[in-house]
Amino acid sequence: MSRLSLRWKIFGLSSVLLVTLVAATLLYVRARAGAYTLDRIQQELTATREAVERADGDRTDGLRETAQLLASFPELKALLETGDQATVRDFLLTYLLQNQRSELLVALDPSGTVIARTDIDAQVALPEARVRWILPALETGSAENQLVAGGTIYSGVSVPAEASGTIFGFVVVGVPIDDAYAASLQRGNAEVVLVRDGVVGATLPRDRVTREVIDAWRAEPSAARLRDVRVGAERFVGTSTSIGGRAPGVLAIVLMSRDRAMAPYREIEIGLVGLGFLVVALGMAGSAMLAKTITTPVAKLVEGTRAVAAGDLDYRLDVTSRDEIGALAESFNTMVDGRRRLEDQVRQSQKMEAVGRLAGGVAHDFNNLLMVIAGRAEVLLGRLGADDPLRRDLQLISDASKRGTSLTRQLLAFSRRQILRPTAVDLNALVTRMADMLRRLIGEDVVLQLALSPELRRVTADPGQIEQVIMNLAINARDAMPSGGVLTIETRGLVFAELHMTGLMTVPPGRYIAVSVADTGHGIAESVRPFLFDPFFTTKDASKGTGLGLSTVYGIVRQSNGYIDVQSEPQHGATFTVLLPEAEQGLEAAAPHGAVVRTSVGSETVLLVEDEKDVRDLIEETLRSAGYRVLAAGNGQEATGIARTYPGPIHVLLSDVLMPGMRGPTLARQLQATRPNLRVLLMSGYTDPVTDLAEGDATLLQKPFSASELLQRIREVLGPLSSGTHPPVNQNPSTDYLGLPSRVGS
Ligand code: ADP
């Protein structure tokens, strides 16, 4: 059964149900019709039997009246007195003739001897006449009995003909009990069979009346009993009663054909059976159609599921109806669409991840190299006189290294390894602040429109980086509109109750702020889309594009836990939408930056830990030249040893974050355990995913940095230059989780 296809199951099951239902209906109708017919026959039979009894009684009464009339004729009395057979007979025959009657008339003398009779065979004696006809007539005024004459049984009545107490004779009037008599008793559809020793009269052809019928009643002629009998092949129901006078002898059996009564129902039944076949045929055709309607889409769905499982994500079901099946097909298509997009997204993000890791690694190493190049160039520039001929070359080296620095920054941004300082940012304020700068950037041919949603909540992000994002998008928009257009920057709040799929990413439910940058430029070709965010992908000529704009945007947005989507049609502009998670309530905007410390010299002791020797030497030289005492170490262990043995105070630890052996933050924690007043400034080219340092901490110094940047940050960490060499005691016990000094503005 389970191996049968769904179509056959539906078809088979509904067909069996249908046939059963139709058959049950027919059987029920048939049984009800049979019971009803039998009931009706029985009622009719009882009524007919009573009618037969009444008719027979009426007939006897008629005979009696005729006999009494004849007996009262004076002529007959006179003739009877004469005893002349011929004249009496003539009289009787004349009476029959004149009155157009056909009864059997018999005249008896007072002793019971037949004087005359109207039937032809007048010779047959009536031996028991005296007993049967005379004595009862004398007693009660009339006698009813049967008489057999010439093989015919008659039902007769005799009355005495008397005058003034003298009896002249008797008159007997009889009618033959035969087929005609049976016919006269017949009522409605009933058949009448008259039985004495054998059948004497019947409305049915005699040969059809079998012994079975006769014996059924002769054995027990109880009147009211109803019996079933067969006459030939026909089924009858019958009842019986005695007729033909008071003397028992003739039995009238009243029969009604059950088959004939059922005939109309049989016709209906044939009609119903025909109808049943029609219903079954139609039903089966319907169920075949239904099965097909249901199973065809299911089969297609199965085919689709297999195709999708086999990796064919282009498979689409035809949506041919608006019903549940159509909805199912639509959901399937949406699901496959979703899966396809998800796979695209996964592929894209894997690609970005891989490229990002590569870029991040390159940028890290480059940072150290660039620091040394830029730093040494700076040192040399400081030593050369203003008109030294080497100055120009050195300046070129310095400028090139700065460009390199900017490039590695962008690569780090893309690889999401930038050191971010997230705060609660009001995007409306940020965009408004940027407006003037953007107008200058996009030129006069492009109109800047702002559509800022009022009462916008804040996002958690690094404002500097978000400015970078908007600027990169605006530059691309400008480049897409060489002959002018409109650049629209829009902000709005969005709430997703469930997973939301953009073309590029799947956004989890939550509250977001969207900032979109839309242009009316030439749009993005379909072929360009897959590479849009790849680093170094550009369609612009070398002087204009580096291909790092969108990859930087991508990196910053992803590192800020945001999402990006792009909508574009060739020749109809492009809209880049960035979704940033809404800041948690209570997270306030960053405090205004503290007063910038301008002083860059000092005399405090710095413990410098850096594994790259060239970088270490450069930093050491820079610090020393600014007046600081420097204790240099190549790794964490070395630094711990120095800290343990150095007798004087160490004011600040300046350490790289990522070093072989011990990481910067761990070293800082260890040293602070024994030297609680130790301030910490960490240096890093990038953050890695497992960094245990709060990203927003201002005690991070991002590589590559310049000499002045370093000196300024060191001074900030140490606090204003005090008169003594001892740094001020930490007045503020609120430290972050590392035990590092609380934040200062960058
Ligand atoms: P670059 O701007 O240096 O080319 P990007 O990474 O910023 O690098 O952009 C990559 C490419 O994406 C561009 O060269 C351009 O083809 C396409 N692009 C970016 N923004 C738009 C835009 N708003 N309209 C049309 N094309 C764009």
Side-chain angles (χ1 to χ4, degrees):
M1 179 76 180
S2 57
R3 285 184 158 271
L4 281 177
S5 72
L6 188 61
R7 185 177 297 188
W8 278 108
K9 279 183 195 165
I10 295 175
F11 176 68
L13 205 68
S14 50
S15 299
V16 167
L17 258 172
L18 202 68
V19 170
T20 312
L21 216 68
V22 169
T25 309
L26 286 180
L27 286 175
Y28 176 75
V29 169
R30 190 189 178 150
R32 286 300 305 154
Y36 173 72
T37 313
L38 191 65
D39 198 44
R40 221 197 53 209
I41 291 177
Q42 287 173 350
Q43 285 176 13
E44 228 176 292
L45 264 180
T46 309
T48 308
R49 192 190 61 223
E50 284 162 10
V52 165
E53 283 166 358
R54 264 198 312 280
D56 186 55
D58 290 350
R59 181 67 54 91
T60 309
D61 290 347
L63 291 177
R64 187 179 301 111
E65 276 164 24
T66 308
Q68 280 167 349
L69 184 71
L70 273 171
S72 66
F73 283 140
E75 299 96 307
L76 182 66
K77 286 178 208 160
L79 288 174
L80 282 174
E81 227 174 5
T82 64
D84 179 8
Q85 288 185 2
T87 48
V88 172
R89 188 161 181 253
D90 281 350
F91 177 84
L92 293 179
L93 284 172
T94 309
Y95 174 81
L96 288 183
L97 207 64
Q98 279 177 354
N99 294 286
Q100 295 183 346
R101 304 194 63 125
S102 61
E103 287 97 339
L104 167 68
L105 302 182
V106 182
L108 305 172
D109 70 7
S111 68
T113 309
V114 175
I115 299 169
R117 50 193 296 171
T118 56
D119 58 336
I120 292 101
D121 191 3
Q123 307 312 316
V124 176
L126 297 168
E128 306 136 32
R130 197 175 161 71
V131 179
R132 293 170 63 185
W133 298 111
I134 296 173
L135 296 179
L138 286 175
E139 266 172 38
T140 58
S142 75
E144 295 156 21
N145 216 317
Q146 284 130 26
L147 64 156
V148 181
T152 306
I153 295 173
Y154 291 87
S155 162
V157 177
S158 80
V159 297
E162 62 181 321
S164 339
T166 311
I167 292 183
F168 300 100
F170 294 89
V171 177
V172 177
V173 181
V175 283
I177 300 181
D178 54 7
D179 289 350
Y181 193 71
S184 74
L185 296 177
Q186 190 180 26
R187 298 287 182 278
N189 295 323
E191 303 287 355
V192 178
V193 177
L194 303 176
V195 178
R196 200 160 177 257
D197 298 325
V199 176
V200 292
T203 53
L204 287 166
R206 291 284 180 95
D207 54 350
R208 290 192 57 198
V209 184
T210 54
R211 280 236 67 86
E212 185 195 341
V213 180
I214 301 164
D215 294 345
W217 274 276
R218 281 258 300 258
E220 194 198 343
S222 147
R225 265 283 297 282
L226 294 169
R227 292 194 183 90
D228 286 316
V229 281
R230 280 187 173 277
V231 176
E234 210 173 337
R235 290 176 312 151
F236 281 85
V237 185
T239 182
S240 68
T241 185
S242 286
I243 59 153
R246 232 163 262 152
V250 179
L251 201 62
I253 301 168
V254 184
L255 295 169
M256 284 189 86
S257 167
R258 217 169 150 164
D259 290 339
R260 250 176 283 161
M262 281 297 283
Y265 293 106
R266 292 272 174 271
E267 264 172 44
I268 292 174
E269 206 173 83
I270 289 167
L272 282 179
V273 169
L275 202 68
F277 272 113
L278 195 71
V279 167
V280 168
L282 283 178
M284 281 169 83
S287 75
M289 261 170 63
L290 183 77
K292 189 169 174 237
T293 315
I294 295 174
T295 55
T296 307
V298 171
K300 279 194 188 151
L301 197 67
V302 169
E303 192 184 313
T305 317
R306 286 199 182 128
V308 170
D312 178 8
L313 294 183
D314 288 327
Y315 195 98
R316 291 291 177 280
L317 288 179
D318 292 339
V319 182
T320 48
S321 59
R322 295 263 115 239
D323 54 14
E324 290 85 344
I325 286 166
L328 194 69
E330 230 162 48
S331 309
F332 176 86
N333 289 346
T334 313
M335 228 164 60
V336 178
D337 244 8
R339 179 161 164 195
R340 191 197 155 103
R341 275 202 275 172
L342 216 61
E343 284 201 0
D344 285 349
Q345 285 178 12
V346 169
R347 215 172 301 127
Q348 173 77 2
S349 77
Q350 277 172 345
K351 182 180 79 180
M352 296 304 241
E353 195 61 46
V355 178
R357 250 199 312 276
L358 182 73
V362 171
H364 173 248
D365 289 345
F366 257 74
N367 270 341
N368 286 332
L369 294 178
L370 285 169
M371 252 194 82
V372 176
I373 297 170
R376 290 295 170 195
E378 217 175 314
V379 170
L380 282 180
L381 274 173
R383 286 191 194 152
L384 291 185
D387 47 0
D388 195 298
L390 289 177
R391 217 182 154 77
R392 189 174 153 272
D393 294 334
L394 266 178
Q395 192 60 52
L396 284 177
I397 294 175
S398 174
D399 290 349
S401 66
K402 275 188 193 129
R403 276 211 302 283
T405 304
S406 138
L407 211 62
T408 48
R409 282 250 158 105
Q410 290 180 66
L411 278 180
L412 279 174
F414 166 66
S415 54
R416 290 180 259 153
R417 298 267 174 99
Q418 270 203 117
I419 296 160
L420 295 183
R421 298 194 177 88
T423 57
V425 181
D426 175 356
L427 284 180
N428 281 352
L430 183 139
V431 172
T432 313
R433 245 193 343 263
M434 289 181 76
D436 280 343
M437 185 269 286
L438 288 176
R439 277 196 190 93
R440 276 196 302 278
L441 190 76
I442 57 180
E444 283 175 1
D445 290 343
V446 178
V447 180
L448 175 67
Q449 279 185 352
L450 300 186
L452 309 179
S453 154
E455 296 181 13
L456 197 69
R457 294 178 182 233
R458 294 169 196 277
V459 296
T460 309
D462 182 327
Q465 299 300 317
I466 300 305
E467 279 174 13
Q468 180 78 59
V469 165
I470 293 173
M471 203 167 75
N472 286 9
L473 294 176
I475 289 172
N476 279 342
R478 176 202 64 191
D479 291 349
M481 301 183 283
S483 41
V486 182
L487 168 66
T488 310
I489 302 183
E490 189 190 333
T491 58
R492 62 190 192 281
L494 289 177
V495 180
F496 298 133
E498 38 195 67
L499 272 190
H500 172 79
M501 234 186 207
T502 75
L504 282 170
M505 292 167 192
T506 302
V507 185
R511 304 180 70 95
Y512 296 87
I513 306 296
V515 51
S516 49
V517 177
D519 63 60
T520 54
H522 54 59
I524 302 168
E526 203 56 48
S527 57
V528 166
R529 272 175 183 249
F531 315 107
L532 220 48
F533 296 95
D534 290 4
F536 305 113
F537 173 82
T538 180
T539 58
K540 300 170 191 171
D541 55 30
S543 63
K544 266 200 147 176
T546 59
L548 281 171
L550 285 183
S551 41
T552 305
V553 166
Y554 180 89
I556 293 172
V557 170
R558 293 300 291 137
Q559 199 180 352
S560 311
N561 300 321
Y563 300 89
I564 188 160
D565 190 26
V566 55
Q567 307 275 327
S568 175
E569 262 181 62
Q571 306 312 325
H572 285 97
T575 303
F576 286 81
T577 303
V578 171
L579 294 179
L580 291 167
E582 200 179 282
E584 278 168 34
Q585 294 246 309
L587 185 56
E588 282 310 309
H593 292 181
V596 179
V597 182
R598 298 266 170 229
T599 335
S600 54
V601 293
S603 55
E604 289 92 339
T605 307
V606 181
L607 174 53
L608 167 67
V609 194
E610 165 65 60
D611 58 327
E612 286 283 334
K613 184 172 181 312
D614 291 346
V615 179
R616 188 170 67 234
D617 291 349
L618 178 68
I619 296 173
E620 189 178 345
E621 273 174 45
T622 309
L623 288 173
R624 277 191 205 289
S625 62
Y628 291 97
R629 181 175 299 133
V630 181
L631 308 169
N635 55 49
Q637 265 168 325
E638 226 176 285
T640 323
I642 293 172
R644 200 176 328 111
T645 53
Y646 186 69
I650 299 177
H651 299 99
V652 61
L653 167 72
L654 175 63
S655 170
D656 198 12
V657 173
L658 293 170
M659 293 179 295
M662 193 186 292
R663 291 166 53 84
T666 320
L667 174 68
R669 256 196 307 270
Q670 281 191 8
L671 296 188
Q672 278 178 327
T674 49
R675 293 176 179 263
N677 288 331
L678 182 73
R679 301 291 171 94
V680 179
L681 179 58
L682 296 171
M683 309 173 280
S684 180
Y686 68 106
T687 59
D688 62 351
V690 292
T691 190
D692 52 355
L693 187 77
E695 281 181 341
D697 206 288
T699 52
L700 257 182
L701 179 56
Q702 186 166 0
K703 282 180 179 173
F705 46 80
S706 64
S708 53
E709 229 177 310
L710 165 71
L711 294 174
Q712 192 180 324
R713 293 294 302 280
I714 282 275
R715 199 60 263 159
E716 278 172 12
V717 170
L718 285 169
L721 199 59
S722 58
S723 47
T725 50
H726 292 285
V729 182
N730 185 3
Q731 299 294 326
N732 186 358
S734 79
T735 50
D736 68 15
Y737 75 97
L738 277 176
L740 296 173
S742 52
R743 294 175 181 182
V744 283
S746 56

